[in-house]
Amino acid sequence: MTEPTPPEAEQPYAGPVIAIPVYAGVSELELSLMLSLARVCATKSGGSADAVKTVNRSRASIVTAGGLVTTPHVLYAALPEPAALFLPGGPGAAKAARDPLLKTFLQTHRDLPTAVSGSGLLLAGESGLLKNRVVGSPPELVDTVWGYEPADVRAGEVVQDGTLWSTPSGLPALHAAFAVASMLWGAETARAAMLRLGVDEAGFEVATWLPTPPAPYPEGRGS
């Protein structure tokens, strides 16, 4: 009698990894937009939700801006080499931006495709990622962002400069997330993921993997 063949062990995920630094007071809206889109893209490409990792200096649970409790997936030291970064904003961004470990992490990966939304600009700015770049900013942060020596600051706009996409707070974060997802998994996959999430793809047409920026967002929209 022959013994049954044991099932093959599940292979660990080996595709591109997106890192999302999280912190107390992070915007759960911006975080969830980025997480959801990237996870759907990864699974549609034959990967898994393991493609997206939230990261912090500790694995202790944190409380988001809206009071939800979340636990970071990994420590910085345990994070696989990322292929892209998502930097969500939130009321806790100013404090988080001063974390030396976060600064070192962002400076080390400054050349990766990076999506930044709202006050996530403070994380990027304190780490030197905005210097000499054209940046889209929430209107209320324009003066602060100028302090990071950008080439230009465009209030209420979604802006792409090289591999950096920056947006106002809230729903506009999806434009930056879409651009980075298109670079990693292709525009078709990113558009299909948008539809899967129930988002109208109008305004997310891609030329050479970049989304068409929308008109400037009115002050206060999405914040």
Side-chain angles (χ1 to χ4, degrees), residues 8-105:
E8 289 187 16
E10 185 177 345
Q11 296 299 308
Y13 174 73
V17 170
I18 293 181
I20 308 181
V22 292
Y23 49 89
V26 68
S27 164
E28 62 265 34
L29 172 60
E30 294 171 27
L31 176 60
S32 63
L33 288 171
M34 294 177 172
L35 276 170
S36 299
L37 181 63
R39 282 174 170 169
V40 173
C41 285
T43 54
K44 279 185 169 294
S45 300
S48 73
D50 287 341
V52 190
K53 301 287 189 184
T54 56
V55 59
N56 192 277
R57 63 165 46 248
S58 166
R59 290 217 58 221
S61 295
I62 61 173
V63 181
T64 68
L68 298 178
V69 177
T70 183
T71 302
H73 294 129
V74 294
L75 305 174
Y76 288 109
L79 179 71
E81 185 61 26
L85 306 176
F86 286 164
L87 306 181
K95 181 178 180 180
R98 299 192 294 270
D99 179 358
L101 197 56
L102 174 58
K103 284 185 179 183
T104 299
F105 173 75

Side-chain angles (χ1 to χ4, degrees), residues 11-195:
Q11 296 299 308
Y13 174 73
V17 170
I18 293 181
I20 308 181
V22 292
Y23 49 89
V26 68
S27 164
E28 62 265 34
L29 172 60
E30 294 171 27
L31 176 60
S32 63
L33 288 171
M34 294 177 172
L35 276 170
S36 299
L37 181 63
R39 282 174 170 169
V40 173
C41 285
T43 54
K44 279 185 169 294
S45 300
S48 73
D50 287 341
V52 190
K53 301 287 189 184
T54 56
V55 59
N56 192 277
R57 63 165 46 248
S58 166
R59 290 217 58 221
S61 295
I62 61 173
V63 181
T64 68
L68 298 178
V69 177
T70 183
T71 302
H73 294 129
V74 294
L75 305 174
Y76 288 109
L79 179 71
E81 185 61 26
L85 306 176
F86 286 164
L87 306 181
K95 181 178 180 180
R98 299 192 294 270
D99 179 358
L101 197 56
L102 174 58
K103 284 185 179 183
T104 299
F105 173 75
L106 294 181
Q107 289 163 356
T108 300
H109 298 94
R110 63 182 304 127
D111 295 327
L112 292 180
T114 300
V116 188
S117 59
S119 54
L121 288 167
L122 304 181
L123 308 182
E126 289 289 340
S127 301
L129 275 60
L130 303 184
K131 188 172 183 178
N132 299 324
R133 310 295 284 271
V134 180
V135 178
S137 169
E140 67 275 12
L141 286 181
V142 167
D143 290 343
T144 301
V145 172
W146 272 117
Y148 299 127
E149 303 180 57
D152 192 16
V153 182
R154 299 177 182 174
E157 294 188 27
V158 175
V159 175
Q160 179 257 331
D161 184 338
T163 55
L164 175 72
W165 289 264
S166 49
T167 79
S169 307
L171 293 175
L174 195 54
H175 287 272
F178 176 80
V180 170
S182 295
M183 286 194 72
L184 294 187
W185 291 291
E188 285 260 334
T189 297
R191 277 198 293 265
M194 297 280 283
L195 292 174

